[in-house]
Amino acid sequence: MEGGTGGRTSSALFAGFRALGLFSNDIPHVVRFSALKRRFYVTTCVGKSFHTYDVQKLSLVAVSNSVPQDICCMAADGRLVFAAYGNVFSAFARNKEVVHTFKGHKAEIHLLQPFGDHIISVDTDSILIIWHIYSEEEYLQLTFDKSVFKISAILHPSTYLNKILLGSEQGSLQLWNVKSNKLLYTFLGWKVGVTALQQAPAVDVVAVGLMSGQVIIHNIKFDETLMKFRQDWGPITSISFRTDGHPIMAAGSPCGHIGLWDLEDKKLINQMRNAHSTAIAGLTFLHREPLLVTNGADNALRIWIFDGPTGEGRLLRFRMGHSAPLTKIRYYGQNGQQILSASQDGTLQSFSTIHEKFNKSLGHGLINKKRVKRKGLQNALSVRLPPITKFAAEEARESDWDSIIACHQGKLSCSTWNYQRSTIGAYFLKPKELKTDDITATAVDITSCGNFAIIGLSSGTVDVYNMQSGIHRGSFGEDQAHKGSVRGVAVDGLNQLTITTGSEGLLKFWNFKNKILIHSMSLDSSPNTMLLHRDSGILGLALDDFSISVLDIETRKIVREFSGHHGQINDLAFSPDGRWLISASMDCTVRTWDLPSGCLIDSFLLDSAPLNVTMSPTGDFLATSHVDHLGIYLWSNVSLYSVVSLRPLPTDYVPSVVMLPGTCQTQDVELSEETIEPSDEMIEYDSPEQLNEQLVTLSLLPESRWKNLLNLDVIKKKNKPKEPPKVPKSAPFFIPTIPGLVPRYAAPEQNNDPHQSKVVNLGILAQKSDFCLKLEEGLVNNKYEAALNLLKELGPSGIETELRSLSPDCGGSIEVMQSFLKMIGMMLDRKRDFELAQAYLALFLKLHLKLLPSEPVLLEELTKLSSQVEENWIHLQSLFNQSMCILNYIKSALL
C-alpha cells in the first residue's frame, strides 16, 4: 500500500481553482486613467494578487498573476502597475503579467512612487532607492537615520521637476532633488507624525495628514500654512481633492468615517459616517468627476457620487464581500451555481461561481425591520441580530415564501430569509412558553418540500414550524427530545423520518407526522455535527472523539466507522452520488472517505484550519471556508476531467501543505520532472498476451481476417463484375504526323496479332515466398513464430494464395506442408491464437484434401493434430455446457 502512494503527498482528487468573495484589503487602491480607452480603472489588492475594475460599471477587467507573498503596497503609472511584496517589488503589464522585478532592499517595502521612467521605493529601514524601470537598475540610493527621519509618506509635487517631498514619523518634511542628490529644504512640521501627503489642485500647495487627526494645507514654496482642519476620529489615513469645480477635500479615518471639508469657507460641510466598517484604506476623487472611490479592510470597494444639493455623497456602485470570517457555507439550489454564506459580520450573502454580477447580499438580520425603517438607519446598529451560526435552505418553494432558516449566536429565535427578494423574512420562530435567556437555538433543518422547519435548542427541545405561516406545529418527545443540547436535526426526503442527536450521546429516530419515537441508539461519544444525504439515506456523524460514524437510516445500523483526524471535526459533506464523505477538521486537513470500500482515498493539508466544507450538487467543485479568511475557496474535482486512481491511503500517510487558491483561475504551471514521471498508481495496466498457459487465448485480429477463409470462392463469385471495366482510349497530347512536304496525321496502329497470349508466364513467379522460406527454417530450428507473424499480416486472399502455394504442384514441397502442420500443432499446444489455428487448418484441409492421403508423413502429422483438436474441444465443450446450465437455471428458477 505504501508503495502505491509513496510519491503522492498532495491531493489527487481536488485541485485549487479560485477564491470567491474577495474584493479589497487594507492596502490603498490605485486609480489609473487609460488614455487609449478614455476610462478610469481602479486596482485593489486581495492578498497575493490584485483586481482591476472598470469604474464605469465596476466590472472586473483583470486579475493579476499571483506573487510569492502578500502584497504590502501598490502604485501605478499610465502603463504599469507596481506591487511590492516583502523586500521585492514587480511591475505588471496589462494588469496581469510580471514584466520587471526589482531586488535590492533588505527590509519590507512600504512606499512606492512612480517618477516618469523611474520608480522610487522606500522600505521600513528608511532606505530610498530610485530605479530605472526598463533596465531594472538602481539610479540612486538614499539612506536616512530611522531615529531622526523615518519616512512615512512620499509625494512628487506638481511642476517640481526632479523633486520629491518626504514626510516622516517624527513630523518633519524634506524636499529633495533626486537628480542632483541634494536636500533642498527641510520643513520643521508640526511635531506630529506625517501619515499622508496629497497634492492640492493649486500649484505649490500640499495637504499633509497627521497622526493627531489634523489636515494641514501648506504652501511648500513659501513654507506657509494656509489652513488647518481637525478630525476627532484618529490619524488621517488618506486625502483627496475634488477637481470638478467644487473646492472640497475628503479625509479618511481609521474608524471608517470620511470628513468632507469646504476649502473656501474653511469648514466641515458633511460627514460620511460608517462609509466602511473598518479604516478607510484609500480614497480618491476621479479627475473632473463628482465620484469618490473608497476601499477598506472590510473587503469592500465603493464608489460614491456627489449629486445632492447639500454636497453629501450617496452610494452609487459597490463590490462587497464579507468583512469578517465566515461561520457557515452551503450550496443553494441544484445547479451548483450559488453558494450561501453567513459571516461573523452578521450578513448572509450569496456568491455565484459563474460571475460576480450574480452575487447578492441578503443583508443584516434586523430584530424589528419596521421600527428601523420608521426611525431611520441611525439606530440600525443597535437592533442588528448577532451573527448566523447555522442555517438550512431549500429552493422548492422559494417563490412562494421564505426558503432559508437560520439560528443566531446566543439567540433563542430563528430567523427566516427570502432568497428571491434578498431580504430577511417575516417570522422569528421560537416557542412561546420559553422566556429564559440562556436557551439558544443550536441546530436547524428544512424539509425537502420547503414547508416545514425543524429547530433544535440547547435545552434539548426539538420543534417543528410551518415556513409559510410561522406557526408552531408540534414538538418531539413529551417534554424534550434530548436531555442534553441538540447537536443535529435532519429529515428524510419523504418527510417520514426525523433524526435528532444530542450532546448526551443519543441518536433518536422519530416519526415526522405523529412525533412518536421509533428508535433510540447510543453513540460511542458525544456527537459534534450531523449530516444526512437524503437521496441515499446515509447519515454522517462527526463525534467529539475525532471519529466519524456512518449510519443507514433504513436499517438504523452503523455501516462505516472512520478514524484518523487529530482535531475537532468542523463540518461534513457528501458527494452528490453519496459515494464520498468529505470531512474538515481543526487539524487543518480535508479528508475524503470512500463509503463503498470504507477507505480513506484522499487527504490534503492546509495552512489554515477549514471551518466549512460543501460539495456542489453537480459534483464539479468543493467549496471550503477557513479560520480568519474572508473568502470562499473552490477546489475542482479532478476525477471529472482526468484519470484518478482512488487507491486507499496508508494509515501513516502524511499529506503536504496545499496553498489556498487565489482569485485568478489556476494557471498552467510548468510541471517539475517529478510530476511528469508517472507514479506507480497511475501507470496503465498492460495486459499480457496470455494470462495463463492453461487458458485458451484468442488473437486480437478482426473477424474479417479468418472467419470467411472457407467461403472465399463464394465471395469472389458474388463480387465478380458482369463485364470487365472499359478503359477509355486516351488521346495523345501531340497528334503524330507523317513526315513529308504536306503534313498528314498518322493513322492509329492496328493490333495485327489476334492470337497473342494473355496468360502470364508462371516461370517468373516460381521463386518461393517468404512464408515458405520461414516454414523451411522452422523444420530445422523448430521455431514457427516468424512464419505465423507473416501469416497474421496477410488478408484472406493472401492467406489462401500462400496455403495453395504449399503443394508441390504450385512450387511448394511435402516438407513445407509438414512444417505448416507442425506450426498448427505448436499453436494448439500453446493455446494461443486459437481461432486462427482452427481457420488455417480448415482452409489447408480444403485445399489439399486430395494430396494428403497419399503422403504418409503428412498423415502422421494429421493424426497428432486430430487428437489435439479433439482434446481441446472436449475441454471447451464441458465448460460451455456448465455455463449454459447455470444460465438456464438462473433464468428459470424462482429466486
Side-chain angles (χ1 to χ4, degrees), residues 290-344:
L291 297 176
L292 176 67
V293 181
T294 64
N295 80 300
D298 59 349
N299 196 19
L301 172 67
R302 294 186 170 99
I303 297 180
W304 312 80
I305 185 167
F306 293 82
D307 55 357
T310 56
E312 76 276 4
R314 65 178 176 87
L315 188 61
L316 179 65
R317 284 182 286 272
F318 65 92
R319 284 279 179 265
M320 184 182 73
H322 287 294
S323 59
L326 310 185
T327 57
K328 185 80 171 174
I329 62 169
R330 281 290 176 266
Y331 268 94
Y332 181 79
Q334 294 302 313
N335 57 6
Q337 293 179 1
Q338 288 88 27
I339 299 176
L340 274 176
S341 67
S343 164
Q344 290 173 11

Side-chain angles (χ1 to χ4, degrees), residues 725-746:
K726 293 178 180 177
V727 182
K729 249 185 181 178
S730 56
F733 189 77
F734 295 107
I735 299 174
T737 56
I738 298 170
L741 295 174
V742 180
R744 291 182 189 174
Y745 295 110

Side-chain angles (χ1 to χ4, degrees), residues 515-790:
K515 317 289 187 294
I516 295 172
L517 180 64
I518 299 171
H519 182 70
S520 176
M521 62 182 291
S522 61
L523 302 166
D524 295 338
S525 178
S526 178
N528 179 42
T529 185
M530 183 175 83
L531 182 69
L532 174 66
H533 187 259
R534 282 177 174 157
D535 293 342
S536 63
I538 296 293
L539 184 76
L541 277 164
L543 307 180
D544 282 346
D545 63 357
F546 312 150
S547 66
I548 300 170
S549 295
V550 181
L551 288 91
D552 181 4
I553 62 171
E554 291 293 327
T555 60
R556 297 191 275 279
K557 289 183 180 177
I558 294 177
V559 292
R560 293 286 185 273
E561 286 186 337
F562 301 119
S563 60
H565 280 295
H566 304 296
Q568 175 187 311
I569 298 168
N570 293 325
D571 203 5
L572 299 172
F574 282 102
S575 61
D577 56 4
R579 289 183 62 89
W580 299 340
L581 177 63
I582 301 152
S583 57
S585 167
M586 288 304 289
D587 61 8
C588 296
T589 60
V590 175
R591 298 180 180 234
T592 305
W593 312 87
D594 187 58
L595 294 181
S597 65
C599 296
L600 174 68
I601 55 170
D602 190 68
S603 174
F604 60 97
L605 191 64
L606 298 155
D607 54 2
S608 178
L611 284 177
N612 292 280
V613 61
T614 177
M615 189 89 175
S616 164
T618 55
D620 49 358
F621 290 113
L622 178 77
T624 60
S625 69
H626 300 266
V627 173
D628 295 335
H629 282 71
L630 306 182
I632 298 170
Y633 297 90
L634 291 181
W635 309 80
S636 58
N637 184 355
V638 178
S639 66
L640 291 184
Y641 54 83
S642 67
V643 179
V644 176
S645 174
L646 300 179
R647 291 189 181 181
L649 298 179
T651 52
D652 57 348
Y653 176 72
V654 180
S656 62
V657 176
V658 177
M659 299 306 294
L660 290 174
T663 49
C664 184
Q665 293 183 8
T666 310
Q667 298 95 17
D668 296 329
V669 277
E670 292 183 8
L671 296 172
S672 60
E673 292 179 7
E674 296 175 9
T675 319
I676 295 168
E677 291 177 7
S679 60
D680 291 343
E681 57 182 345
M682 295 310 297
I683 294 174
E684 290 184 9
Y685 173 70
D686 290 329
S687 176
E689 290 187 8
Q690 191 173 20
L691 297 176
N692 193 308
E693 292 182 1
Q694 301 302 316
L695 296 176
V696 168
T697 307
L698 304 180
S699 71
L700 297 176
L701 293 181
E703 288 184 349
S704 59
R705 294 279 190 92
W706 55 269
K707 200 171 185 180
N708 298 316
L709 285 176
L710 293 177
N711 304 318
L712 273 179
D713 47 354
V714 180
I715 294 169
K716 285 179 180 177
K717 197 178 286 184
K718 280 184 180 179
N719 295 342
K720 189 177 180 183
K722 292 179 181 177
E723 55 182 31
K726 293 178 180 177
V727 182
K729 249 185 181 178
S730 56
F733 189 77
F734 295 107
I735 299 174
T737 56
I738 298 170
L741 295 174
V742 180
R744 291 182 189 174
Y745 295 110
E749 293 181 9
Q750 299 291 331
N751 188 5
N752 298 324
D753 187 8
H755 303 293
Q756 186 176 354
S757 173
K758 292 183 179 179
V759 178
V760 180
N761 184 10
L762 285 174
I764 303 167
L765 304 175
Q767 65 185 38
K768 293 179 181 178
S769 65
D770 289 342
F771 178 62
C772 282
L773 295 173
K774 295 294 180 187
L775 285 178
E776 286 177 354
E777 286 177 17
L779 269 179
V780 179
N781 56 21
N782 207 24
K783 291 180 181 178
Y784 295 99
E785 285 81 3
L788 180 60
N789 290 334
L790 281 175

